[in-house]
Amino acid sequence: NSNSYKYDVRNIQQTQQYRCIAGNVVSTVTSYVATIQVINFMVTTYPHITQTTVGSSVTLTCTSSVSSGVTFSWSHNGTSVKTQSLTNGGTSILTISNVRYSDSGSY
């Protein structure tokens, strides 16, 4: 199966690196770096792989961790099909009615 997903993380607020240093009278050892990224929101529900038949409807859902001030952009094979700015609620729904073969692809 050659399905792929793209997750676009934007608005990263801060990234920090941490290390642990342990020592005694004989030597000191430093841990590997642990990186923590704090972002202002993230996608919590992703669209799922869907199989359907010609003429039916498909609904794709994407939910963010915040409930307002989010813009969702949907694309089909790299071409924009819907942009939605939400002020109330953090879920965007893309419905494709009367599905055709040309609707196949990556969203």
Side-chain angles (χ1 to χ4, degrees):
N1 196 333
S2 63
N3 297 309
S4 64
Y5 298 96
K6 269 190 213 176
Y7 303 129
D8 190 7
V9 179
R10 297 175 188 248
N11 300 319
I12 293 176
Q13 299 298 309
Q14 190 171 14
T15 300
Q16 295 291 329
Q17 294 183 338
Y18 295 87
R19 293 180 191 261
C20 174
I21 300 171
N24 62 18
V25 294
V26 177
S27 69
T28 301
V29 178
T30 303
S31 71
Y32 293 108
V33 173
T35 301
I36 298 174
Q37 289 184 333
V38 179
I39 58 175
N40 63 358
F41 74 93
M42 60 189 222
V43 174
T44 57
T45 303
Y46 297 94
H48 296 284
I49 299 168
T50 302
Q51 291 182 341
T52 191
T53 57
V54 172
S56 62
S57 293
V58 172
T59 300
L60 302 174
T61 303
C62 185
T63 304
S64 81
S65 62
V66 296
S67 60
S68 64
V70 178
T71 299
F72 292 91
S73 297
W74 290 93
S75 63
H76 174 228
N77 292 330
T79 301
S80 179
V81 294
K82 178 181 180 180
T83 298
Q84 181 180 24
S85 294
L86 301 175
T87 55
N88 295 316
T91 299
S92 178
I93 297 172
L94 176 66
T95 300
I96 305 163
S97 301
N98 194 20
V99 170
R100 299 169 296 175
Y101 287 109
S102 61
D103 294 317
S104 295
S106 299
Y107 286 83

